[in-house]
Amino acid sequence: MAQAGPVTRNRYERERAARQSAERLLEAKSRELFDANQRLMQQAQALELAVTERTREAEEAAQARAQAEAANDAKSSFLASMSHEIRTPLHGVLGMMSALDSTALTNEQRDLLEVMKEAGYVLRTVVNDILDLSKIEAGQLELSNAAFYLPNVLKSLKQHFGLSASAKGLTLLFDTDASCERWLFGDEFRLRQVFGNLLSNAVKFTAHGTILLKARVRQEAGGVYCLDVLVEDTGLGLSTFARDGLFKPFAQADPKIAHRFGGSGLGLTITRRICHLMGGAITLDGEEGKGTVAEFQVRLKSAEPPEARTHCADLASAEALLEARNWTILVVDDSAVNRKVVTQYLKRYKLTVLEAEDGVNAVDLWRRAKPDFILMDINMPVMGGIAAALRIREEAIERAEPRVPIVALTANAMSHQVNDYLDAGLDAHIAKPVGRAELVRVIGSFLSQRVSRC
Amino acid sequence: MKGVIFVELLRMAEANAGEELVDEVLDSLTLESGGAYSAIGSYSCGELFSLVGAFSERLDAPAEDLQKMFGHWMFSYFVENYGEFFTDKKSAFDMLASIENEVHVEVRKLYPDAELPSFETLQTSETEMSMTYKSARPLQSFCHGLIEACLSHYGTPGVISVDDRSDGHPAHVVFLIGLEKA
């Protein structure tokens, strides 16, 4: 390696210039770095702000939603309890009107009573709709399952709506075929509700022309039967405005409709929910002024025709059974009005009707009088209906006594509650308010079993 | 103390007294840096005062005068290298008033740890301004030189009176600047 000599002036200047250049470069880079850091920090702050803002918005939205849900729950439970509170006295009012109907009345009184009854039934429908809606909103609308004969359903619908249609000068046509002639397994009451809603809307909103109901049943995989129904009318049809709000609760096609036609605006909401619960769907179509076409499908299982009780399906046979013997019927209810309704219903038959206002009295009367049939309320002071039924069943087994039919009669029963009743040894359930015909049919069907065993 | 001060001080000394004298001074002193300075480094403030003291002795000139002269030198350096600071300043007062809030902000970008003096300005009339200098280092003469150079740069001569309130350390000096009326 060569010995380093003295540094020349040029070399010194070059080195110095290089150093200054490096310093300037570094300074520029430092400034860039600082600026980049500043931007990063600003971005981080902006992000932080955005996240905070979004979190706050999300929290506010969640809070608002929780409040809205709480308000909606409160509304539902208020409606449910109010409806329940209204239904119980309404039951009494309708029952008494029905009892009044079977007394000697002048023509004028009978006319007045008809108006009262009509108004009462409308009120009962509205209250029931509200109760159904409350159940839907609480996710508690449940379906019961029992075998029913579809032609019976269609026949009674045609009878019922045929009357109201002809009263308005409308033609009601039913187009069914052999596919409909079968026993199905499902919730007959709710299915009737769907049919009834569409037919009553068709009658209500059609001024002249024809209402056509077309029904077909087709088999699908897995033993499932799909009931396809179309209800077509020549009425008002649907405006664009109407279509948007059709399935919303309390929404009627047009605010003016409520004034002109009445109704709670709940029917289609409930109908659609029932269709969904039955594995189907519902659609409404039609232009304003050109009639409405409603189509729905529900999926049900096929059922075997039941052998027993069929001879009691009609009221006349049931009444004949009630007349056949001096049966003892025990009516258990803490409400004197409700007991009165039932005793009024049964007054025309030669029966011994006993009354108990709670479970303890019911058990006591059962021990002493050995009734042939017990109609049992569920919610009662001292001892409820389920406890009383359990006691009666236990004692009957100990004493080897025959099993007495016990039927629950209560307002607002959910399907799972009905299952509890059946587990407790109750034989069936009737929902309040019950009509005379239904009550008589149920009592008749159970008494027929006693006859056949005797 | 930032390296650029040392680099420019030695450059000024070289320009005025020659490289030999500068080398002699650097050889005569015991400096932590060894007398090798980079514009982007940081060095002990004591070295600056040692250098100024040594130059003052060799040249038989008061240290304050050298500081003032260095103030002029540095101002020229700033004009030459950081011209962007001057473009939007219409007058000497504008420039002096911007040191605290603009120039120092830029300095901190490069040297976040720089111990900067404070320059508080108060313009009392169109031609009068007071500038209060506070620093941990007694460099008021250097400041004085900077202010003189600033007035001269803008072509607005004036009178600068110095009210030294330092009472030793730290430096606390109020410069009263009166411009000659045009």
Side-chain angles (χ1 to χ4, degrees):
Chain A
M1 199 172 162
Q3 183 71 39
V7 174
T8 65
R9 185 79 211 164
N10 278 349
R11 187 180 179 80
Y12 166 72
E13 291 295 348
R14 273 202 308 276
E15 288 296 327
R16 174 182 255 203
R19 194 198 72 193
Q20 285 171 347
S21 165
E23 286 169 354
R24 278 195 297 275
L25 197 66
L26 193 61
E27 195 177 299
K29 290 288 172 200
S30 297
R31 192 175 286 119
E32 278 174 27
L33 188 63
F34 176 87
D35 287 341
N37 265 332
Q38 282 295 101
R39 284 196 297 275
L40 273 175
M41 271 155 64
Q42 280 166 3
Q43 274 177 4
Q45 274 174 355
L47 269 174
E48 189 76 20
L49 267 176
V51 168
T52 311
E53 181 69 8
R54 191 161 301 178
T55 311
R56 192 178 58 78
E57 281 172 6
E59 279 169 1
E60 280 176 4
Q63 211 175 355
R65 200 180 57 195
Q67 278 173 356
E69 280 170 357
N72 198 43
D73 287 351
K75 184 201 75 183
S76 297
S77 92
F78 172 75
L79 282 176
S81 61
M82 278 311 293
S83 305
H84 183 79
E85 293 303 316
I86 293 168
R87 216 154 75 139
T88 305
L90 183 60
H91 175 220
V93 172
L94 292 175
M96 285 301 118
M97 284 196 289
S98 193
L100 193 60
D101 206 6
S102 55
T103 62
L105 296 173
T106 65
N107 283 344
E108 193 190 358
Q109 285 171 331
R110 198 163 295 284
D111 286 348
L112 292 174
L113 184 62
E114 278 308 310
V115 177
M116 273 169 70
K117 274 165 71 181
E118 196 54 43
Y121 294 142
V122 170
L123 181 56
R124 186 175 64 181
T125 308
V126 171
V127 169
N128 284 344
D129 279 356
I130 292 174
L131 206 52
D132 282 347
L133 182 79
S134 315
K135 286 183 195 170
I136 287 171
E137 291 194 339
Q140 288 175 340
L141 186 75
E142 297 169 50
L143 298 179
S144 64
N145 279 312
F148 67 93
Y149 191 49
L150 184 57
N152 281 352
V153 174
L154 294 168
K155 193 174 137 194
S156 68
L157 286 167
K158 195 172 181 190
Q159 274 174 354
H160 181 80
F161 289 99
L163 284 175
S164 50
S166 64
K168 282 186 78 177
L170 304 169
T171 311
L172 176 64
L173 296 175
F174 269 45
D175 172 5
T176 58
D177 66 4
S179 70
C180 297
E181 287 166 19
R182 65 176 65 250
W183 281 85
L184 294 169
F185 191 70
D187 195 326
E188 180 188 348
F189 171 75
R190 294 297 181 187
L191 182 62
R192 278 175 185 271
Q193 212 176 339
V194 174
F195 272 113
N197 178 264
L198 296 181
L199 286 171
S200 73
N201 275 347
V203 172
K204 193 192 273 187
F205 298 118
T206 305
H208 40 75
T210 308
I211 295 160
L212 169 71
L213 183 144
K214 185 180 171 186
R216 294 288 184 275
V217 176
R218 58 189 158 85
Q219 189 169 7
E220 293 185 337
V224 173
Y225 286 83
C226 181
L227 170 61
D228 287 304
V229 178
L230 177 145
V231 178
E232 195 178 343
D233 65 45
T234 53
L236 287 180
L238 298 170
S239 65
T240 321
F241 172 76
R243 235 178 292 244
D244 291 342
L246 269 183
F247 293 103
K248 287 179 192 153
F250 302 107
Q252 283 186 323
D254 189 312
K256 281 175 279 184
I257 298 262
H259 291 290
R260 227 172 115 192
F261 299 101
S264 62
L266 295 175
L268 283 174
T269 309
I270 296 164
T271 300
R272 182 167 71 160
R273 183 64 193 154
I274 294 170
C275 289
H276 286 174
L277 282 173
M278 290 188 177
I282 180 166
T283 55
L284 257 78
D285 206 0
E287 282 176 44
E288 193 159 12
K290 292 186 179 171
T292 306
V293 181
E295 282 182 88
F296 75 87
Q297 301 83 41
V298 292
R299 288 181 171 76
L300 301 160
K301 295 259 184 191
S302 176
E304 289 298 315
E307 290 166 18
R309 289 191 234 173
T310 47
H311 57 284
C312 272
D314 62 303
L315 185 59
S317 329
E319 288 192 310
L321 251 167
L322 259 67
E323 298 278 12
R325 214 182 280 182
N326 180 13
W327 304 100
T328 303
I329 311 285
L330 172 57
V331 180
V332 190
D333 202 309
D334 58 327
S335 154
V337 174
N338 286 346
R339 293 200 304 273
K340 182 96 173 159
V341 168
V342 174
T343 53
Q344 283 292 337
Y345 282 162
L346 301 177
K347 208 172 85 179
R348 62 172 76 181
Y349 312 107
K350 297 186 194 86
L351 301 168
T352 304
V353 180
L354 305 173
E355 294 179 39
E357 73 277 10
D358 60 43
V360 172
N361 275 320
V363 175
D364 189 43
L365 269 174
W366 167 77
R367 285 184 196 126
R368 292 193 278 122
K370 299 294 168 211
D372 299 293
F373 182 90
I374 301 175
L375 199 59
M376 182 78 83
D377 184 24
I378 296 299
N379 297 316
M380 290 180 292
V382 189
M383 182 190 275
I386 291 181
L390 278 169
R391 180 75 58 83
I392 290 170
R393 294 291 182 236
E394 281 168 13
E395 283 193 26
I397 290 166
E398 281 171 22
R399 299 178 195 182
E401 289 187 9
R403 182 186 166 97
V404 59
I406 309 177
V407 171
L409 177 64
T410 181
N412 192 18
M414 302 282 183
S415 296
H416 66 266
Q417 291 173 320
V418 172
N419 290 336
D420 290 346
Y421 305 162
L422 301 182
D423 288 346
L426 287 144
D427 294 292
H429 162 258
I430 314 176
K432 281 182 199 169
V434 63
R436 186 180 65 84
E438 190 190 357
L439 181 68
V440 168
R441 265 201 295 266
V442 170
I443 297 176
S445 72
F446 280 98
L447 292 181
S448 74
Q449 291 168 1
R450 287 179 86 80
V451 170
S452 58
R453 271 203 297 269
C454 291
Chain B
M1 179 64 71
K2 303 322 294 179
V4 67
I5 300 292
F6 292 88
V7 170
E8 289 305 314
L9 179 69
L10 295 187
R11 223 160 59 82
M12 181 185 80
E14 279 175 9
N16 287 287
E19 286 180 3
E20 275 181 33
L21 183 117
V22 172
D23 284 343
E24 272 178 37
V25 166
L26 290 176
D27 289 342
S28 71
L29 295 170
T30 309
L31 299 166
E32 203 184 330
S33 64
Y37 300 104
S38 159
I40 50 179
S42 287
Y43 306 93
S44 156
C45 195
E47 291 193 18
L48 183 76
F49 289 103
S50 299
L51 287 169
V52 171
F55 283 127
S56 164
E57 202 174 300
R58 298 273 170 158
L59 298 169
D60 195 20
E64 285 74 23
D65 289 358
L66 289 183
Q67 271 198 33
K68 203 185 278 185
M69 184 181 174
F70 187 45
H72 280 266
W73 178 274
M74 281 310 291
F75 192 86
S76 302
Y77 171 82
F78 291 142
V79 171
E80 203 175 313
N81 290 281
Y82 300 95
E84 66 269 24
F85 285 120
F86 295 87
T87 49
D88 61 338
K89 310 295 182 305
K90 298 276 189 303
S91 68
F93 283 179
D94 279 355
M95 184 64 222
L96 293 174
S98 73
I99 294 174
E100 184 79 25
N101 293 323
E102 282 184 49
V103 178
H104 281 180
V105 168
E106 292 301 314
V107 173
R108 285 208 186 278
K109 288 185 186 178
L110 291 173
Y111 309 106
D113 54 345
E115 294 169 33
L116 298 172
S118 83
F119 294 101
E120 207 177 291
T121 54
L122 180 68
Q123 190 169 347
T124 47
S125 78
E126 208 176 314
T127 55
E128 286 175 320
M129 173 183 264
S130 73
M131 177 181 242
T132 306
Y133 163 74
K134 285 180 187 166
S135 173
R137 306 178 192 99
L139 288 170
Q140 47 267 54
S141 297
F142 173 65
C143 276
H144 195 163
L146 277 172
I147 296 168
E148 282 178 353
C150 184
L151 297 188
S152 141
H153 173 79
Y154 282 97
T156 47
V159 179
I160 302 164
S161 59
V162 182
D163 178 7
D164 195 330
R165 302 174 185 178
S166 311
D167 195 15
H169 221 68
H172 179 184
V173 177
V174 179
F175 297 98
L176 291 167
I177 307 155
L179 299 181
E180 286 175 15
K181 282 176 186 155

